[in-house]
Amino acid sequence: MPRLTTIASLLTAGQTLAFSTVTVPSNISRAVLRPDAYGYSIEPSSLSPYLQSTIASTVLKTIADIIGTLFVPDLDAPSVAEPNDTTVEVLKIRDDWFRGWTEYFPPGTDFIYTLNLRNESHAWVNAMQEAAAAMEALGESLALFELGNEIDHYINKGWRDDSWGTSEYTRQWKRLTGQILASEFYKQASHQPLFQAAVFADPPWVPDQHDEIDDFDIINATKAGLVDPEIIKGYAVHLYPQSTCDEVRRARLSLDLLSNHQVVWTNVSQFIPQQEAAEKARAPLILGETNSASCSGQSGISDTFGAALWTTDYVLTAASMGIEQVYFHLGHQSEYSAFTPLAYEYEGESLTAGVRANVYSHLFLAHVLATKDNKPQQISALPSANASDFSGYAIFGEGKHKHKHLGLEKLVFIDMGVWNASVGLSNPSTLSATDSTSVSPGHRPTRDVRVQTSWPSGTKLQFIRLQGPGTNAKSEVDVSGVSLDLESGEPVGKIRKEKAVVRHGGAVEVSLRQAEAILIQLA
């Protein structure tokens, strides 16, 4: 039997070295790792500001050039937002609002569009008009429709009465999808988008993030009949591990808590029963909207290098559990946004447009997910790299070396230990009031990792690092020497791939600084 847990952690007070021994069991369970495992969800009122700036297009193109596939923006946005562009009650759009999306985003970008489920009167006339306009304008770029957003909050918002639950929702969902499928605009279209169902907001195990008492989850919805693998291509849920929505939850916000693998695992694992219910219904479960903290995040936490390490671990943890896609929410004035399109005034400060430290997780993950010709990959979380400050993943595929079965191609290790730096603490697109003043004492610790692999000795390897000054850094972050210009998002520098070889018996040795991630891949 393979040994599953062999971690030796020797770091104590006064020492600057940790050592971890990791094995890759031959019989480890695997999950699908999609090349589009992560994407972006854009706040409705924010799409127009993003389209007024080149920064999103620039950043997405840089990542697309690495990965060979593209992100899937989830767009349900207005042309006119009432009462204002940050607190939206009414969304008003015109047919021509859709124009320009396919020109702005990189070629090959897919869109998921959320239709209006709130207004059920007059035979869903708003939703039908939206569907027709979106299909005509977006064509083959329109991958899926969603029906409504966070529909488990509809009672609390006053949009449905107390009878609203999975049974009534399923009835209305089937009625509206039936109308779309039977419509002339749909039947005559050369490309016919299918549907993503559910779109539930409340996490199963976090009662204080539930806005109302209801039975909305994937288990109950599928039991109520929300099952149709011919047209349902995914079930969406939302997840925010922390929140700024009220003072009680805001007081609990912590960068140290965010940068903790065991907390990541606990947050994601609550959806395992939901994932199993979705799989039984023959469609994947996806995290359709997520980020570090609900209600737009918190500067000093959401826009730091620690958030970049969290994002990296979060996406890979979710994928290893069978949650195939994760969409990170963007708002043009949201503190958790990886990049902001326009300058704005916020809390008495003038913030510039630009990229933030958390965007580097996406740049690093592009290398992790990249695969030649979209060949299949699988991922496993490594049991012997599973601590609060350390996680590891094995990725299997064909790569450059053809196997009868998918073979080990890549390894990813993330040191999530908190190390607070004295440099890189400011970023003109973030609040200066939240620049860290905490500095870790002494020298930055290093973790030596020894991995036992199936690779033959002498096999050539490449290392790519996600690195920054420290957990609290807002700038001076890079991926093996490649950074993004703070204002334009343009890539700066050339990637430096460290070279190594597999040692005797399949051993791979690498050093990892505290608060750093590394990709080890076949050269």
Side-chain angles (χ1 to χ4, degrees):
M1 293 292 291
R3 183 170 53 173
L4 296 183
T5 305
T6 55
I7 294 181
S9 184
L10 306 179
L11 185 62
T12 59
Q15 292 182 299
T16 58
L17 182 68
F19 180 77
S20 297
T21 300
V22 180
T23 59
V24 183
S26 59
N27 62 347
I28 194 168
S29 62
R30 306 177 183 182
V32 170
L33 182 64
R34 294 173 54 147
D36 57 350
Y38 62 98
Y40 290 105
S41 165
I42 300 182
E43 182 67 27
S45 58
S46 294
L47 183 59
S48 293
Y50 273 106
L51 295 181
Q52 294 173 39
S53 161
T54 61
I55 195 165
S57 180
T58 299
V59 172
L60 292 177
K61 183 181 184 303
T62 298
I63 295 171
D65 287 344
I66 297 169
I67 203 169
T69 189
L70 292 172
F71 297 95
V72 187
D74 177 3
L75 304 172
D76 55 336
S79 176
V80 177
E82 298 177 358
N84 56 59
D85 64 355
T86 56
T87 304
V88 179
E89 291 292 337
V90 178
L91 312 182
K92 297 181 178 179
I93 63 174
R94 303 184 312 188
D95 288 353
D96 60 2
W97 177 71
F98 296 96
R99 295 172 192 162
W101 294 10
T102 55
E103 297 174 2
Y104 178 84
F105 292 101
T109 300
D110 290 333
F111 298 94
I112 299 171
Y113 185 79
T114 303
L115 300 173
N116 186 337
L117 190 69
R118 171 184 175 179
N119 297 325
E120 58 182 308
S121 60
H122 307 297
W124 307 102
V125 63
N126 288 343
M128 295 296 288
Q129 291 173 342
E130 285 181 283
M135 287 181 63
E136 181 180 1
L138 299 177
E140 294 185 359
S141 297
L142 181 58
L144 298 170
F145 283 125
E146 285 184 342
L147 273 56
N149 179 62
E150 298 188 346
I151 58 90
D152 50 338
H153 290 176
Y154 276 21
I155 297 175
N156 186 60
K157 291 179 180 295
W159 298 347
R160 296 292 190 276
D161 61 26
D162 290 345
S163 67
W164 184 241
T166 54
S167 295
E168 179 60 18
Y169 162 67
T170 298
R171 185 189 70 79
Q172 294 187 18
W173 192 93
K174 289 183 175 181
R175 178 186 168 193
L176 179 51
T177 55
Q179 287 182 199
I180 293 171
L181 295 172
S183 67
E184 288 302 313
F185 69 78
Y186 189 91
K187 290 191 293 185
Q188 294 177 6
S190 59
H191 171 72
Q192 299 172 327
L194 298 176
F195 299 89
Q196 186 158 276
V199 203
F200 303 152
D202 294 339
W205 295 349
V206 191
D208 71 356
Q209 291 199 33
H210 291 203
D211 277 22
E212 63 194 44
I213 298 174
D214 54 56
D215 67 344
F216 284 108
D217 66 17
I218 307 303
I219 298 169
N220 291 329
T222 52
K223 285 181 179 178
L226 192 65
V227 178
D228 189 343
E230 293 298 316
I231 65 169
I232 295 176
K233 297 306 174 185
Y235 293 92
V237 293
H238 296 178
L239 174 61
Y240 289 88
Q242 301 190 55
S243 180
T244 68
C245 296
D246 54 68
E247 289 306 315
V248 172
R249 287 181 287 178
R250 182 184 289 271
R252 297 201 300 260
L253 287 166
S254 167
L255 180 55
D256 291 11
L257 192 61
L258 190 71
S259 189
N260 185 313
H261 172 65
Q262 291 298 327
V263 174
V264 171
W265 188 91
T266 299
N267 279 316
V268 178
S269 64
Q270 67 183 303
F271 287 98
I272 290 176
Q274 311 294 313
Q275 187 273 333
E276 291 173 345
E279 187 177 75
K280 186 177 179 181
R282 292 189 288 167
L285 181 71
I286 66 103
L287 290 175
E289 179 186 316
T290 192
N291 217 306
S292 53
S294 57
C295 291
S296 296
Q298 176 67 51
S299 185
I301 296 176
S302 304
D303 49 14
T304 65
F305 183 60
L309 294 171
W310 166 77
T311 300
T312 303
D313 193 50
Y314 184 51
V315 169
L316 298 180
T317 296
S320 70
M321 291 183 183
I323 299 175
E324 295 187 1
Q325 293 178 292
V326 181
Y327 295 83
F328 290 88
H329 209 40
L330 299 175
H332 67 292
Q333 296 183 6
S334 295
E335 293 169 80
Y336 55 39
S337 292
F339 38 86
T340 54
L342 303 174
Y344 64 102
E345 298 292 321
Y346 186 62
E347 295 193 2
E349 295 190 32
S350 298
L351 305 185
T352 68
V355 299
R356 295 165 172 171
N358 44 324
V359 76
Y360 286 92
S361 62
H362 306 148
L363 190 62
F364 176 75
L365 281 168
H367 291 281
V368 175
L369 300 175
T371 174
K372 186 177 180 181
D373 300 326
N374 286 328
K375 291 178 180 177
Q377 293 190 120
Q378 298 173 336
I379 185 170
S380 300
L382 295 173
S384 51
N386 181 24
S388 62
D389 63 347
F390 183 56
S391 63
Y393 306 88
I395 296 171
F396 304 87
E398 289 184 4
K400 297 179 180 178
H401 307 269
K402 293 186 180 296
H403 308 280
K404 183 176 180 180
H405 303 291
L406 296 185
L408 180 65
E409 292 287 334
K410 304 176 183 179
L411 294 161
V412 180
F413 295 104
I414 307 167
D415 188 306
M416 297 182 73
V418 174
W419 173 259
N420 288 329
S422 60
V423 297
L425 303 183
S426 62
N427 183 315
S429 73
T430 73
L431 287 170
S432 64
T434 65
D435 293 352
S436 177
T437 58
S438 174
V439 179
S440 296
H443 297 289
R444 188 172 182 174
T446 300
R447 180 189 301 272
D448 286 345
V449 181
R450 188 178 191 274
V451 193
Q452 195 63 43
T453 76
S454 58
W455 290 327
S457 60
T459 300
K460 295 180 179 180
L461 303 173
Q462 295 176 336
F463 299 162
I464 296 176
R465 296 180 188 267
L466 171 59
Q467 52 198 8
T471 305
N472 57 347
K474 291 183 177 181
S475 59
E476 299 187 30
V477 179
D478 68 82
V479 175
S480 283
V482 175
S483 61
L484 302 176
D485 183 87
L486 285 180
E487 293 187 2
S488 69
E490 291 283 355
V492 178
K494 294 184 178 180
I495 195 162
R496 299 189 301 269
K497 295 180 181 179
E498 302 170 53
K499 297 180 180 180
V501 296
V502 178
R503 295 178 179 268
H504 178 73
V508 175
E509 297 178 355
V510 65
S511 291
L512 189 62
R513 293 189 302 174
Q514 190 165 313
E516 187 172 274
I518 191 167
L519 166 64
I520 302 169
Q521 61 184 358
L522 297 175

